[in-house]
Amino acid sequence: MTSDRVEAPVRTVGAVADELYLKCIRCGKCLSVCPVYRETRIETLSPRGKVALYRAVGEDDLEISEVYAGKFYTCLMCDACREACPSGVELDLILNKARTDLAYSGLMPESLRRLDETIIAAGNISGEDNEQRLGWTANLESMPIGLDHGGQAEAAYFVGCVSALFPASYSIPQSLVRVFERAGVNYALIGGDEHCCGYPLFLNGEGERALAMAHHNVEAVRDTGAARVVMSCPSCYHMWKHIYPELLDNGELDGLEIVHETEMLAELAKEGRLCFKPWPVTVTYHDSCDLGRKSGIFEAPRHVLRAIPELTLVEMADHHENSLCCGGGGNLETYDRELAQALPRRRLQQAQDAGAKYIVVSCQQCKRTLFGGARRERIRIRTMDLAEVVSEQLEGEADA
Amino acid sequence: MLDPQIIDELKSIVGERYVLTSPEDLVAYSYDATFTSARPNLIVLPDNTQEVSEILKVASRELIPVVPRGMGSGLAAGSIPFGGGMVLALTRMDRLLDVDLDNMMATAEAGIIASELADAVAREGYFYPPDTTSVHYSTLGGNVACNAGGARCLKYGITGHYVMALEVVLADGRIMRVGGKATKNVTGYDLVRLLVGSEGTLAIITEVTVRFIAAPEVERMAQAIFPKLTDAGKAINAVLASGANPSMVEIMDETAIKSVEEYLRIGLPLDVEAILLIQTDGDEADAVRGIEIAAEICRQNGAREVRVATTPEEGKEMWEARSAISGSLGRIRPNKLGEDITVPHSAVPEMIAKIKEISAKWDLPIVIFGHAGDGNLHPNILFDKRDPEESERVESAVGDLFRAAVEVGGSLSGEHGVGVLKRPYLEMAMGAVAVEMQRRIKQAWDPKNILNPGKILPTKGAK
Ligand SMILES: Cc1cc2nc3c(=O)[nH]c(=O)nc-3n(C[C@H](O)[C@H](O)[C@H](O)COP(=O)(O)OP(=O)(O)OC[C@H]3O[C@@H](n4cnc5c(N)ncnc54)[C@H](O)[C@@H]3O)c2cc1C
Ligand code: SF4
Ligand code: SF4
């Protein structure tokens, strides 16, 4: 597909693009929710500014350039602006379309291009041998039953690149399979047959290149015989649930149920298959962009937390649909590390203001970002994934 | 294009990355919340008052127009650099400097987001009343420069009523502090009052001290649904004359209702001509008694249904519908011209009738909503800028609106300011002598005419 790329700038005109930006009345409301604007206070990096740039190009008042590109990559693709816009401007489409135009014009920044090429070549984001995807199972007490499910699995667990390949995130899949095993869930692991879901490509405006991965992943999951596929990564979930159906032929996903860790944990708690010991702490729940705003899953994780005796759940200033991105979205970390590292502070402050000692997330990326932020800023607050919380609080587990 | 040497000089003041000159930046600083735009030559983002002072020294030496800008939510095109020059964006100066509980006053840099100041005061258990609908996306400096109002100013007054002291930078770069924390002060002319509402034409505001007050214990909100707009008009006056003592009385007409319903889908009725939103506050007994009186008056004056919120969340939801109007209008037509006329509140029904006539006469949809309790209405004309013939009709309709407002004893702007859009009508509203006196004030403060030139005052020779 690389050969399809034209190196000459293309312009974003046409009825669709026109419709998209015309609705912006420049009220400024989106500025108040944009993590990048809140940090930089620079209009050119704000959602309203991006729409204005996109429009200026569409109306022949501006040429696309590297500088133009830089504005669109300085974005978390967090959708907070779309959620806030009273005028119905579909900023998610504008932001994605702008990146798509840039990719086709050869203006994608080098660091992001390398990421895309790595994914295509290696099947994962880190470039390691894809067979290493089971590294996290190495120091479990016993071999996970998911490796030997005998075709009887009710759910295939799609682990995701970060949890599978970055040791700092191993404890998420480790915890989740431990919970599955305690609750008697028969699950399947697909190890090296799992490929990157393709979401980073989509974010970089190269969603079409994710097609082969989508085919491959669906087939690998089908091969397990399980009727469900469960993810702990919200981005994989969003990709499978909302973008695969657009990429794949009709019917390819038929009969396959796509669920997120939080939904499954909520289900198990409701069925009484998880018994918790008391945990007398104040926690807050951080809605990730891909699971919350983009997928509408807000209550499942909160149900699980409320099922833990003596736990007090508090909300931060920005929550549910209005949740504030941790700073880990949109591949910003790859493009502008300094800015990405400045972003978690505000979120951590909100958690502190709410009186929380723990931020519970259900996303390995949010966990990494918030954990790193807390360490850099010396903020005394702990970040845990919901799977880790559940695993530690199961009745009969030793106290952590 | 500016002399590269001057750009370098500015960079040496604020730092390389805070002087913006790329075409992208010029586009992003070319607009506010109106439909107009013009690109500056450069944008400078200072970090502190000293830097502002240094920048102004360069600008006055080189005769560069300086257009101060907050968050660009203005509705009068006040921060648009029509003659080019420098946009001086104050958004980086956003520190909260002090919350003085003894004197009940707070001080912040001008670029702080207005809601952040209000929240800081609220965290201490107090109340900073000015509440523009844009409170989360406008700066305190912008609020002062426009003397912004809001829904609650019916009971609590506008921004200017709370400003105690200002630090400003003059056109030649000198730094001046005016006002103070003493609540009574008649030493010399009241320069604070002059600077409030000066829309960046007299000085750059860099620091603001406001007073705050004790928070009302509770608030009560009611939503009254009127099949007939005229009945709603009558109800407004009856509520104001009663003992209900409301903190806000807001109106939205049928087009506003439709537009919001399409956005929020919260079940607003689509077969009625108006909704009134009424809030009372105070201690529990007062607020409840007030809202009951208001609700009863609405029922007697033709309301089909009156809902009184039983929880703060419900009240917030009702307000959400009102606050969403302005932003949701882009769903109907691509452009809107939002006006801001004020009339004596007794004339609200008459003014509404006149707006309807103007809408029919020029064949343009006009949405009516606003702070009906203090006679401040926001008729918004919806149109498509790309259609020149339609844009001409908009011009004519605006003229008619202003004339109608002045005829019933009102004025051009209640809170958005004059900027450039209302400039041609200033003399009609204020008289030639008052305009001439303002011209002299401007000359005294800004003899080289570099501060937001062309705003508020009609340029000599033009109409
Ligand atoms: C949806 C919506 C709702 C609104 N609701 C209200 C409302 O309820 N009440 C109301 O009064 N207004 C309202 N407004 C208008 C606007 O938000 C206010 O006028 C606000 O005060 C502008 O602040 P800003 O920081 O965005 O200023 P800008 O738009 O950036 O500037 C406005 C003017 O102030 C000048 N200025 C800005 N900062 C300074 C400074 N530091 N020193 C000197 N001059 C300066 C500029 O030159 C310009 O003339 C609304 C706007 C929108 C889009
Ligand atoms: S909130 Fe919507 S209409 Fe308002 S400036 Fe942002 S994109 Fe434009
Ligand atoms: S997607 Fe998020 S980071 Fe990007 S412009 Fe919108 S609010 Fe800002």
Side-chain angles (χ1 to χ4, degrees):
Chain A
M1 248 189 207
T2 327
S3 57
D4 291 348
R5 195 170 295 123
V6 285
E7 297 294 326
V10 292
R11 283 200 311 104
T12 50
V13 277
V16 186
D18 216 44
E19 286 291 294
L20 289 176
Y21 57 63
L22 276 182
K23 276 194 192 161
C24 174
I25 50 160
R26 311 196 287 210
C27 66
K29 188 173 183 201
C30 51
L31 273 62
S32 66
V33 298
C34 172
V36 169
Y37 178 79
R38 285 161 88 170
E39 182 63 28
T40 61
R41 305 292 311 272
I42 291 180
E43 177 81 29
T44 326
L45 298 174
S46 75
R48 176 174 62 176
K50 292 177 167 89
V51 176
L53 297 184
Y54 185 73
R55 177 175 191 155
V57 168
E59 293 181 343
D60 257 341
D61 276 340
L62 183 71
E63 281 183 17
I64 83 173
S65 65
E66 240 169 77
V67 180
Y68 174 84
K71 309 305 170 198
F72 286 93
Y73 294 107
T74 310
C75 173
L76 300 158
M77 307 291 262
C78 73
D79 254 21
C81 47
R82 190 220 6 104
E83 183 69 39
C85 176
S87 194
V89 178
E90 290 163 294
L91 285 116
D92 51 336
L93 295 185
I94 293 184
L95 298 172
N96 201 278
K97 189 150 183 343
R99 287 190 177 198
T100 304
D101 293 335
L102 289 163
Y104 275 98
S105 311
L107 284 168
M108 192 197 294
E110 191 45 38
S111 56
L112 296 179
R113 174 167 316 290
R114 270 203 307 272
L115 174 65
D116 285 10
E117 298 310 331
T118 302
I119 291 172
I120 305 271
N124 62 62
I125 59 169
S126 75
E128 268 167 82
D129 176 0
N130 209 49
E131 292 305 319
Q132 301 303 313
R133 276 191 184 261
L134 286 170
W136 58 273
T137 60
N139 53 2
L140 287 175
E141 294 142 31
S142 57
M143 191 181 79
I145 59 165
L147 290 172
D148 184 20
H149 51 88
Q152 299 300 308
E154 43 188 295
Y157 176 24
F158 191 87
V159 181
C161 298
V162 176
S163 291
L165 296 164
F166 293 84
S169 302
Y170 280 178
S171 78
I172 295 174
Q174 287 170 344
S175 301
L176 193 61
V177 299
R178 188 142 102 233
V179 174
F180 283 167
E181 294 184 11
R182 287 285 307 269
V185 176
N186 197 352
Y187 65 98
L189 291 170
I190 53 180
D193 264 347
E194 183 180 317
H195 286 181
C196 171
C197 68
Y199 192 52
L201 300 176
F202 175 79
L203 284 181
N204 285 346
E206 297 200 304
E208 286 170 26
R209 299 180 84 187
L211 183 65
M213 288 165 220
H215 282 308
H216 173 94
N217 284 328
V218 173
E219 201 183 312
V221 165
R222 290 270 189 214
D223 283 349
T224 65
R228 307 179 120 176
V229 51
V230 58
M231 290 104 187
S232 42
C233 169
S235 305
C236 297
Y237 173 80
H238 174 54
M239 185 73 185
W240 273 78
K241 186 98 179 175
H242 304 114
I243 299 162
Y244 278 10
E246 285 175 20
L247 289 175
L248 296 171
D249 289 335
N250 279 341
E252 212 173 317
L253 287 162
D254 280 0
L256 189 63
E257 197 195 352
I258 298 157
V259 294
H260 186 258
E261 156 196 302
T262 51
E263 295 176 296
M264 208 149 150
L265 293 172
E267 205 177 277
L268 293 173
K270 198 166 155 216
E271 289 166 0
R273 291 162 77 181
L274 304 175
C275 291
F276 298 111
K277 56 190 178 192
W279 196 30
V281 293
T282 302
V283 309
T284 188
Y285 177 72
H286 166 79
D287 294 285
S288 71
C289 307
D290 289 338
L291 193 67
R293 253 190 309 276
K294 294 187 199 171
S295 300
I297 297 181
F298 300 106
E299 296 314 319
R302 291 177 169 84
H303 281 315
V304 177
L305 290 170
R306 286 200 195 95
I308 298 176
E310 294 179 29
L311 179 149
T312 309
L313 179 62
V314 292
E315 296 292 354
M316 290 179 265
D318 299 323
H319 58 88
H320 285 78
E321 289 86 350
N322 303 321
S323 177
L324 177 65
C325 177
C326 63
N331 297 343
L332 177 68
E333 203 184 352
T334 313
Y335 180 68
D336 184 343
R337 195 177 159 79
E338 191 189 334
L339 177 61
Q341 290 205 336
L343 296 177
R345 186 183 43 87
R346 191 180 300 269
R347 191 54 167 168
L348 291 162
Q349 188 62 53
Q350 287 190 349
Q352 276 199 315
D353 290 347
K357 292 277 174 286
Y358 286 80
I359 306 183
V360 177
V361 299
S362 41
C363 171
Q364 74 296 326
Q365 177 70 348
C366 298
K367 185 185 165 196
R368 266 186 65 224
T369 314
L370 292 171
F371 176 82
R375 201 183 40 200
R376 274 191 308 279
E377 310 281 343
R378 298 177 193 285
I379 295 177
R380 291 173 68 87
I381 197 154
R382 280 198 59 194
T383 313
M384 287 177 85
D385 190 89
L386 187 69
E388 297 169 318
V389 171
V390 169
S391 165
E392 278 187 20
Q393 296 313 314
L394 280 181
E395 196 70 73
E397 292 292 325
D399 281 324
Chain B
M1 199 51 213
L2 273 179
D3 183 347
Q5 243 175 324
I6 299 175
I7 294 181
D8 282 345
E9 190 176 354
L10 292 167
K11 283 182 179 168
S12 72
I13 298 170
V14 295
E16 177 96 29
R17 63 198 284 197
Y18 296 116
V19 176
L20 312 178
T21 53
S22 77
E24 286 74 13
D25 293 310
L26 305 187
V27 167
Y29 286 88
S30 69
Y31 52 75
D32 65 357
T34 63
F35 59 91
T36 50
S37 65
R39 292 186 197 180
N41 295 100
L42 83 170
I43 303 100
V44 183
L45 292 122
D47 173 70
N48 57 56
T49 306
Q50 200 55 45
E51 288 182 5
V52 175
S53 163
E54 298 299 319
I55 295 163
L56 264 293
K57 280 177 197 160
V58 175
S60 81
R61 188 188 74 215
E62 303 291 339
L63 299 180
I64 302 167
V66 177
V67 182
R69 187 184 196 267
M71 279 173 88
S73 72
L75 288 170
S79 65
I80 299 180
F82 287 102
M86 174 199 304
V87 163
L88 185 69
L90 286 121
T91 46
R92 287 181 61 228
M93 292 179 56
D94 62 350
R95 301 170 191 94
L96 177 69
L97 300 172
D98 181 38
V99 180
D100 172 355
L101 296 181
D102 293 335
N103 288 307
M104 295 177 44
M105 285 177 203
T107 302
E109 291 180 335
I112 192 172
I113 299 178
S115 61
E116 287 182 3
L117 178 101
D119 289 348
V121 169
R123 270 198 297 276
E124 301 293 345
Y126 293 91
F127 179 45
Y128 174 66
D131 61 335
T132 64
T133 309
S134 53
V135 67
H136 296 285
Y137 43 100
S138 61
T139 62
L140 181 61
N143 285 183
V144 174
C146 296
N147 200 0
R152 277 190 298 232
C153 57
L154 170 62
K155 181 169 180 181
Y156 291 103
I158 52 184
T159 303
H161 294 137
Y162 294 85
V163 178
M164 297 300 297
L166 294 172
E167 178 195 69
V168 299
V169 174
L170 301 177
D172 59 10
R174 278 179 297 166
I175 299 170
M176 177 174 84
R177 288 185 166 271
V178 286
K181 287 190 176 175
T183 39
K184 293 172 75 178
N185 187 347
V186 291
T187 323
Y189 292 155
D190 191 343
L191 297 182
V192 173
R193 236 38 58 190
L194 177 59
L195 286 159
V196 169
S198 63
E199 300 183 39
T201 61
L202 300 182
I204 310 294
I205 300 163
T206 49
E207 193 187 293
V208 181
T209 299
V210 295
R211 68 189 173 86
F212 49 80
I213 61 178
E217 264 169 51
V218 292
E219 290 175 339
R220 283 282 178 275
M221 184 81 89
Q223 188 190 55
I225 292 165
F226 287 87
K228 293 252 150 299
L229 185 61
T230 42
D231 287 342
K234 279 185 234 145
I236 294 167
N237 288 325
V239 168
L240 293 174
S242 73
N245 192 18
S247 51
M248 64 164 87
V249 179
E250 296 284 310
I251 190 167
M252 49 202 287
D253 81 341
E254 55 188 321
T255 339
I257 298 170
K258 283 204 185 88
S259 179
V260 168
E261 180 55 23
E262 197 178 301
Y263 165 36
L264 296 175
R265 306 211 179 275
I266 44 176
L268 297 178
L270 295 174
D271 59 342
V272 297
E273 289 183 5
I275 292 180
L276 288 187
L277 210 59
I278 300 170
Q279 191 183 59
T280 58
D281 64 8
D283 65 28
E284 177 90 31
D286 274 353
V288 170
R289 195 182 52 91
I291 207 73
E292 275 165 8
I293 294 173
E296 188 47 36
I297 291 174
C298 289
R299 284 188 203 102
Q300 282 165 8
N301 280 276
R304 183 174 84 189
E305 191 194 336
V306 183
R307 278 174 55 212
V308 176
T310 45
T311 60
E313 288 71 37
E314 220 181 311
K316 237 174 138 178
E317 244 169 61
M318 290 177 178
W319 172 244
E320 178 85 340
R322 160 65 185 86
S323 76
I325 301 171
S326 181
S328 69
L329 296 177
R331 290 165 188 265
I332 306 178
R333 307 287 325 261
N335 299 102
K336 65 179 172 85
L337 179 59
E339 285 310 343
D340 175 41
I341 51 176
T342 44
V343 299
H345 69 78
S346 63
V348 167
E350 189 186 348
M351 189 64 215
I352 290 177
K354 281 178 185 265
I355 299 171
K356 294 262 169 209
E357 278 166 29
I358 295 168
S359 166
K361 177 176 164 196
W362 297 105
D363 189 22
L364 289 164
I366 305 185
V367 181
I368 306 170
F369 62 95
H371 318 300
D374 50 27
N376 188 188
L377 296 177
H378 295 320
N380 269 248
I381 308 175
L382 307 183
F383 67 110
D384 188 338
K385 195 169 81 165
R386 295 168 302 178
D387 179 345
E389 187 271 333
E390 196 171 80
S391 299
E392 247 171 63
R393 273 186 283 135
V394 172
E395 280 283 302
S396 312
V398 169
D400 281 2
L401 274 179
F402 288 153
R403 266 183 292 277
V406 174
E407 264 164 37
V408 301
S411 190
L412 309 185
S413 177
E415 54 184 26
H416 299 165
V418 176
V420 290
L421 301 178
K422 303 180 193 78
R423 214 171 41 168
Y425 305 95
L426 194 69
E427 201 165 303
M428 173 179 93
M430 301 188 74
V433 180
V435 172
E436 177 54 23
M437 288 313 291
Q438 293 181 75
R439 209 185 289 287
R440 289 200 202 169
I441 292 172
K442 168 77 175 168
Q443 271 157 7
W445 285 67
D446 179 21
K448 294 180 178 173
N449 194 27
I450 59 163
L451 289 179
N452 213 355
K455 303 292 160 61
I456 303 186
L457 295 168
T459 26
K460 272 240 163 83
K463 72 161 179 175

